[in-house]
Amino acid sequence: MKKLVVLMAMSALCALLGCDKGDDGLRTKFGIFSVKDSETVSMNGTIDKNSYRDFSDLLKQYPSVKRVEIQECQGANDIESSRRLSLLINNKKINTHILDNGSVAVEGTDFFLAGNKRSTGTNAKLGVKCWSVESHGETKPATDFNLNHANHKPYMNYYVQIGFTRQEAKGFYLFTINAANYKEIHWMTNKEIEQYDILN
């Protein structure tokens, strides 16, 4: 029993310190990213403030990565890190793929869209949501702001940065904020995925 407790404690400590290593002794776990081979990385979890740094560290060790396979990413708790991470993926021309029965939503969808080539497995889901802000104790959704308001620009500019035309960026952005209210996620239909050229 004592031996089992010790083994469990050592395993927990190793996970905390990022000790996951492959047969060659190289680190294979970087936050929500896990290295499958020299060209493929798996992703599972919420993007956080460490995700950009984690993926940057991963690329230093595995510079030939060409594809990120996503199991699930329902968003981000740090929008700045999320955008930096997504732009890094785009700049490195890394492909993104949602695995069978996998899903992305909100910032997870934005991350997926940053892929050089984008593909999905069977029953994969893509979700969008209207953002909101707290103002004087009141929740204000994106749709409460005039389209010329500065709050909209970072979102539309992001889509342009990852390759959308201005018209495409505006069209898709308007779709995301009107598809559902800020409390819900709208799961895109096959028709909507085709309409906005999500897969390429």
Side-chain angles (χ1 to χ4, degrees), residues 110-131:
D110 287 345
F111 174 88
F112 173 72
L113 290 173
N116 181 48
K117 291 183 178 179
R118 303 180 295 269
S119 59
T120 64
T122 305
N123 298 321
K125 298 197 303 181
L126 293 93
V128 297
K129 183 179 182 181
C130 179
W131 57 263

Side-chain angles (χ1 to χ4, degrees), residues 20-109:
D20 297 299
K21 295 183 179 179
D23 294 337
D24 53 8
L26 294 176
R27 182 179 168 193
T28 59
K29 179 71 174 171
F30 297 79
I32 61 175
F33 301 102
S34 299
V35 177
K36 297 182 72 173
D37 57 52
S38 62
E39 294 187 350
T40 311
V41 172
S42 62
M43 176 185 186
N44 189 24
T46 300
I47 299 170
D48 62 26
K49 66 179 181 180
N50 299 315
S51 296
Y52 172 79
R53 184 192 64 197
D54 288 338
F55 199 80
S56 296
D57 289 345
L58 184 154
L59 286 179
K60 291 175 185 175
Q61 192 165 292
Y62 301 92
S64 58
V65 167
K66 295 179 180 177
R67 174 175 161 112
V68 175
E69 297 182 342
I70 309 167
Q71 182 60 57
E72 184 175 8
C73 180
Q74 297 301 309
N77 55 32
D78 187 286
I79 189 70
E80 181 61 29
S81 181
S82 176
R83 285 205 181 120
R84 292 181 69 201
L85 171 65
S86 299
L87 290 173
L88 176 62
I89 291 288
N90 186 259
N91 291 336
K92 295 291 184 180
K93 298 189 182 304
I94 294 172
N95 302 327
T96 51
H97 175 78
I98 306 174
L99 295 168
D100 292 352
N101 303 308
S103 65
V104 295
V106 200
E107 292 86 6
T109 296

